[in-house]
Amino acid sequence: TIYGENLLERELSVDMMKQLVYDMRGTIYKIMDKIQINDILDTELELLQSKNNMEEILNIFIEIYQKICDIVNRQKKNHNVELFESIIKYIKENYNRPELNISLISSNFNLSETYISNFFKEQAGVTLATYLENLRIEEACKLLTETDLSINVVAAKVGYNSDKSFRRAFKRVIGVNPTACSKV
């Protein structure tokens, strides 16, 4: 687009083309500073100074912008992985709290409920509520099979306010009543 509009359609003068290249270089330096990737593109930027052919210059710019996009995408992916791992860790540390829900989680991470909901579903492949329910039931199964705790106690230990809601969730997730898994 830049090449077409400025070289073909407008037929910019040589001086104007030099100014355009100068401005585009300045934009790249601003981007590099903003996303903290200084010195990574030095070779390509030095190449720009040695070229006079606009097509060669354009190809170098394309290469530079592609590298910037790759770097930004890697940084975003790394951030997403870190955020997702932090959310999972928070849930695993707090699943036994009955008040744990998307509102509490989003508040803890200073992000909106909508963002957390969409982000979690995108990363985990299931909704946050489903993940939390499955984690609670998984932990309940361990307690029921490895201890002599009553169903009411297990329900409370894994974050359910009532044994009725626990029993419904257990049946929904596992397919059987919790009594079928308990030691007692």
Side-chain angles (χ1 to χ4, degrees):
T1 302
I2 291 170
Y3 179 81
E5 285 184 16
N6 292 293
L7 200 66
L8 302 176
E9 288 181 28
R10 295 186 188 154
E11 298 179 17
L12 293 180
S13 68
V14 173
D15 288 338
M16 290 299 290
M17 287 305 291
K18 286 181 182 177
Q19 183 63 44
L20 175 62
V21 170
Y22 178 78
D23 288 345
M24 289 176 70
R25 273 185 63 152
T27 300
I28 290 169
Y29 280 114
K30 289 176 187 173
I31 291 170
M32 288 170 52
D33 187 51
K34 181 100 173 150
I35 61 175
Q36 300 171 350
I37 60 166
N38 299 333
D39 304 329
I40 292 177
L41 302 171
D42 283 346
T43 306
E44 290 84 355
L45 290 167
E46 285 176 22
L47 259 176
L48 281 174
Q49 291 178 326
S50 66
K51 302 294 179 187
N52 289 325
N53 179 311
M54 195 57 197
E55 270 190 62
E56 289 177 339
I57 291 171
L58 177 66
N59 286 333
I60 293 169
F61 275 125
I62 289 170
E63 186 179 325
I64 290 170
Y65 283 115
Q66 186 59 53
K67 282 186 176 185
I68 290 171
C69 289
D70 291 345
I71 290 166
V72 168
N73 286 334
R74 269 195 311 275
Q75 288 176 347
K76 182 179 176 188
K77 185 177 179 181
N78 290 342
H79 174 264
N80 285 351
V81 167
E82 289 172 13
L83 177 59
F84 183 67
E85 287 173 354
S86 295
I87 292 170
I88 293 293
K89 182 179 182 220
Y90 181 79
I91 292 170
K92 286 183 176 182
E93 290 172 352
N94 294 283
Y95 74 90
N96 58 343
R97 295 172 56 192
E99 69 275 10
L100 184 65
N101 60 26
I102 195 161
S103 178
L104 187 64
I105 294 167
S106 62
S107 174
N108 183 70
F109 288 93
N110 293 322
L111 297 167
S112 74
E113 290 181 28
T114 302
Y115 180 83
I116 290 284
S117 176
N118 293 334
F119 174 80
F120 194 90
K121 172 84 172 167
E122 178 183 296
Q123 298 296 314
V126 295
T127 65
L128 193 142
T130 299
Y131 178 84
L132 177 59
E133 181 176 69
N134 288 340
L135 177 63
R136 285 175 168 165
I137 298 303
E138 180 183 318
E139 293 301 317
C141 281
K142 287 178 191 173
L143 290 172
L144 289 169
T145 57
E146 296 171 5
T147 70
D148 292 330
L149 297 173
S150 71
I151 291 172
N152 291 349
V153 171
V154 168
K157 281 190 169 289
V158 297
Y160 285 91
N161 283 325
S162 76
D163 65 310
K164 283 185 180 181
S165 61
F166 169 71
R167 289 172 193 272
R168 279 194 306 272
F170 197 96
K171 175 88 171 169
R172 183 173 46 251
V173 172
I174 303 296
V176 296
N177 290 320
T179 51
C181 292
S182 65
K183 243 181 156 180
V184 180

